[in-house]
Short mmCIF file of all heavy atoms in Angstrom, two decimals:
data_model
loop_
_atom_site.label_atom_id
_atom_site.label_comp_id
_atom_site.label_asym_id
_atom_site.label_seq_id
_atom_site.Cartn_x
_atom_site.Cartn_y
_atom_site.Cartn_z
N ASN A 22 80.86 93.29 99.67
CA ASN A 22 81.62 93.59 98.45
C ASN A 22 80.70 93.99 97.31
O ASN A 22 80.97 94.96 96.59
CB ASN A 22 82.45 92.39 98.02
CG ASN A 22 83.67 92.18 98.88
OD1 ASN A 22 84.04 93.03 99.68
ND2 ASN A 22 84.29 91.02 98.75
N ILE A 23 79.61 93.25 97.12
CA ILE A 23 78.69 93.54 96.03
C ILE A 23 78.04 94.90 96.24
O ILE A 23 77.95 95.71 95.31
CB ILE A 23 77.63 92.43 95.90
CG1 ILE A 23 78.30 91.14 95.41
CG2 ILE A 23 76.50 92.84 94.95
CD1 ILE A 23 77.42 89.90 95.49
N LYS A 24 77.61 95.17 97.46
CA LYS A 24 76.96 96.45 97.78
C LYS A 24 77.88 97.62 97.45
O LYS A 24 77.49 98.55 96.74
CB LYS A 24 76.58 96.49 99.26
CG LYS A 24 76.02 97.81 99.72
CD LYS A 24 75.79 97.80 101.22
CE LYS A 24 75.38 99.18 101.72
NZ LYS A 24 75.20 99.20 103.18
N TYR A 25 79.12 97.55 97.95
CA TYR A 25 80.04 98.67 97.74
C TYR A 25 80.61 98.71 96.33
O TYR A 25 80.97 99.77 95.84
CB TYR A 25 81.13 98.67 98.80
CG TYR A 25 80.60 99.15 100.12
CD1 TYR A 25 80.39 98.27 101.17
CD2 TYR A 25 80.24 100.48 100.31
CE1 TYR A 25 79.86 98.70 102.39
CE2 TYR A 25 79.71 100.93 101.51
CZ TYR A 25 79.53 100.04 102.55
OH TYR A 25 79.00 100.48 103.72
N ALA A 26 80.68 97.57 95.65
CA ALA A 26 81.13 97.56 94.25
C ALA A 26 80.13 98.30 93.37
O ALA A 26 80.52 99.07 92.49
CB ALA A 26 81.32 96.13 93.76
N LYS A 27 78.85 98.10 93.62
CA LYS A 27 77.82 98.80 92.85
C LYS A 27 77.88 100.31 93.10
O LYS A 27 77.81 101.11 92.17
CB LYS A 27 76.43 98.27 93.19
CG LYS A 27 76.16 96.90 92.62
CD LYS A 27 74.77 96.43 92.96
CE LYS A 27 74.49 95.06 92.35
NZ LYS A 27 73.13 94.60 92.65
N LEU A 28 78.02 100.69 94.37
CA LEU A 28 78.14 102.12 94.70
C LEU A 28 79.41 102.72 94.10
O LEU A 28 79.39 103.82 93.56
CB LEU A 28 78.14 102.31 96.23
CG LEU A 28 76.83 102.01 96.94
CD1 LEU A 28 77.04 102.04 98.46
CD2 LEU A 28 75.75 102.99 96.54
N GLY A 29 80.51 101.98 94.20
CA GLY A 29 81.78 102.45 93.66
C GLY A 29 81.75 102.59 92.15
O GLY A 29 82.36 103.50 91.58
N ALA A 30 81.02 101.70 91.48
CA ALA A 30 80.90 101.78 90.02
C ALA A 30 80.19 103.06 89.61
O ALA A 30 80.62 103.74 88.68
CB ALA A 30 80.15 100.55 89.49
N LYS A 31 79.11 103.39 90.31
CA LYS A 31 78.38 104.62 89.99
C LYS A 31 79.28 105.84 90.21
O LYS A 31 79.31 106.75 89.38
CB LYS A 31 77.13 104.73 90.87
CG LYS A 31 76.05 103.75 90.49
CD LYS A 31 74.86 103.87 91.40
CE LYS A 31 73.85 102.79 91.09
NZ LYS A 31 72.72 102.81 92.03
N GLU A 32 80.00 105.85 91.31
CA GLU A 32 80.90 106.96 91.61
C GLU A 32 82.03 107.06 90.58
O GLU A 32 82.40 108.15 90.15
CB GLU A 32 81.50 106.79 93.01
CG GLU A 32 82.39 107.92 93.44
CD GLU A 32 82.95 107.71 94.83
OE1 GLU A 32 82.30 107.07 95.66
OE2 GLU A 32 84.07 108.19 95.08
N LEU A 33 82.55 105.91 90.18
CA LEU A 33 83.63 105.87 89.19
C LEU A 33 83.18 106.48 87.87
O LEU A 33 83.90 107.28 87.27
CB LEU A 33 84.06 104.41 88.98
CG LEU A 33 85.23 104.13 88.08
CD1 LEU A 33 86.51 104.68 88.69
CD2 LEU A 33 85.37 102.63 87.85
N ILE A 34 81.99 106.14 87.43
CA ILE A 34 81.47 106.67 86.16
C ILE A 34 81.27 108.18 86.26
O ILE A 34 81.60 108.92 85.34
CB ILE A 34 80.16 105.96 85.78
CG1 ILE A 34 80.45 104.50 85.42
CG2 ILE A 34 79.48 106.67 84.62
CD1 ILE A 34 79.21 103.63 85.30
N ILE A 35 80.76 108.64 87.40
CA ILE A 35 80.54 110.07 87.59
C ILE A 35 81.88 110.82 87.58
O ILE A 35 82.02 111.84 86.91
CB ILE A 35 79.77 110.33 88.91
CG1 ILE A 35 78.34 109.84 88.78
CG2 ILE A 35 79.81 111.82 89.27
CD1 ILE A 35 77.56 109.80 90.08
N LYS A 36 82.88 110.30 88.31
CA LYS A 36 84.18 110.98 88.39
C LYS A 36 84.91 111.00 87.05
O LYS A 36 85.50 111.99 86.67
CB LYS A 36 85.07 110.32 89.45
CG LYS A 36 84.74 110.71 90.86
CD LYS A 36 85.73 110.10 91.82
CE LYS A 36 85.46 110.56 93.23
NZ LYS A 36 86.39 109.95 94.19
N LYS A 37 84.91 109.86 86.36
CA LYS A 37 85.65 109.76 85.11
C LYS A 37 84.85 110.23 83.92
O LYS A 37 85.42 110.57 82.88
CB LYS A 37 86.12 108.32 84.88
CG LYS A 37 87.22 107.88 85.81
CD LYS A 37 87.81 106.58 85.32
CE LYS A 37 89.08 106.30 86.09
NZ LYS A 37 89.89 105.31 85.42
N GLY A 38 83.54 110.19 84.03
CA GLY A 38 82.70 110.57 82.91
C GLY A 38 82.72 109.56 81.77
O GLY A 38 82.33 109.86 80.65
N ARG A 39 83.18 108.37 82.07
CA ARG A 39 83.26 107.31 81.05
C ARG A 39 83.33 105.95 81.74
O ARG A 39 83.58 105.86 82.93
CB ARG A 39 84.51 107.48 80.18
CG ARG A 39 85.81 107.35 80.97
CD ARG A 39 87.04 107.27 80.07
NE ARG A 39 88.25 107.20 80.83
CZ ARG A 39 88.77 106.10 81.36
NH1 ARG A 39 88.15 104.95 81.25
NH2 ARG A 39 89.91 106.14 82.03
N SER A 40 83.13 104.92 80.95
CA SER A 40 83.31 103.55 81.47
C SER A 40 84.80 103.25 81.57
O SER A 40 85.61 103.79 80.81
CB SER A 40 82.68 102.54 80.51
OG SER A 40 81.30 102.68 80.48
N PRO A 41 85.19 102.37 82.48
CA PRO A 41 86.59 101.97 82.52
C PRO A 41 86.93 101.13 81.29
O PRO A 41 86.04 100.58 80.65
CB PRO A 41 86.68 101.13 83.80
CG PRO A 41 85.30 100.67 84.07
CD PRO A 41 84.39 101.73 83.51
N ASN A 42 88.21 101.06 81.00
CA ASN A 42 88.61 100.22 79.86
C ASN A 42 88.96 98.81 80.35
O ASN A 42 89.01 98.55 81.54
CB ASN A 42 89.76 100.86 79.08
CG ASN A 42 91.00 101.04 79.92
OD1 ASN A 42 91.44 100.12 80.59
ND2 ASN A 42 91.57 102.24 79.89
N VAL A 43 89.17 97.93 79.40
CA VAL A 43 89.42 96.51 79.72
C VAL A 43 90.70 96.35 80.55
O VAL A 43 90.75 95.50 81.45
CB VAL A 43 89.49 95.68 78.43
CG1 VAL A 43 89.87 94.24 78.73
CG2 VAL A 43 88.15 95.72 77.71
N LEU A 44 91.71 97.16 80.29
CA LEU A 44 92.95 97.06 81.07
C LEU A 44 92.72 97.37 82.54
O LEU A 44 93.27 96.70 83.42
CB LEU A 44 94.03 97.97 80.49
CG LEU A 44 94.58 97.56 79.13
CD1 LEU A 44 95.58 98.60 78.63
CD2 LEU A 44 95.20 96.18 79.19
N GLU A 45 91.89 98.37 82.82
CA GLU A 45 91.55 98.67 84.21
C GLU A 45 90.80 97.51 84.84
O GLU A 45 91.03 97.16 86.00
CB GLU A 45 90.69 99.94 84.29
CG GLU A 45 91.44 101.20 83.96
CD GLU A 45 90.53 102.41 83.88
OE1 GLU A 45 89.58 102.39 83.08
OE2 GLU A 45 90.80 103.37 84.63
#
Side-chain angles (χ1 to χ4, degrees):
N22 285 349
I23 292 169
K24 175 185 173 182
Y25 286 107
K27 287 181 179 181
L28 291 171
K31 288 178 186 176
E32 183 180 330
L33 184 67
I34 291 168
I35 290 169
K36 281 185 177 179
K37 289 192 169 197
R39 63 170 178 82
S40 294
N42 61 49
V43 175
L44 291 177
E45 290 173 303

